[in-house]
Amino acid sequence: MPSAYCGECEWQYRTDGDDESELSRAMIDHFVETGHSPVERCDAEERLADERTEATDEAPETVREPSKKR
């Protein structure tokens, strides 16, 4: 269940399902209303771990040297 909280006040928000757009909107609204930043997602560590796993599963890109024109 995705949730978020504000590090500057007691604001918290939790969604009932996996609707990340609802959580994102609530975080934006809180920032606009209060100016508090950052608003941190409680599931951020899980998302970052998933992204790291996906990145290591992909083939590395070939890095080419820039051409040396004179």
Side-chain angles (χ1 to χ4, degrees), residues 4-68:
Y5 67 95
C6 178
E8 298 183 43
C9 70
E10 300 294 319
W11 180 86
Q12 295 181 14
Y13 194 89
R14 181 174 292 162
T15 60
D16 291 332
D18 291 332
D19 186 7
E20 292 186 24
S21 63
E22 178 184 346
L23 180 61
S24 295
R25 185 67 195 167
M27 290 167 55
I28 292 168
D29 289 345
H30 180 70
F31 175 76
V32 169
E33 291 171 6
T34 64
H36 291 173
S37 182
V39 175
E40 301 177 10
R41 290 177 57 133
C42 296
D43 66 337
E45 289 180 15
E46 294 171 14
R47 289 185 308 109
L48 290 174
D50 290 343
E51 289 174 6
R52 287 186 197 121
T53 301
E54 290 173 5
T56 58
D57 291 343
E58 297 174 1
E61 294 181 16
T62 304
V63 178
R64 295 176 39 182
E65 292 290 323
S67 63
K68 296 179 182 178

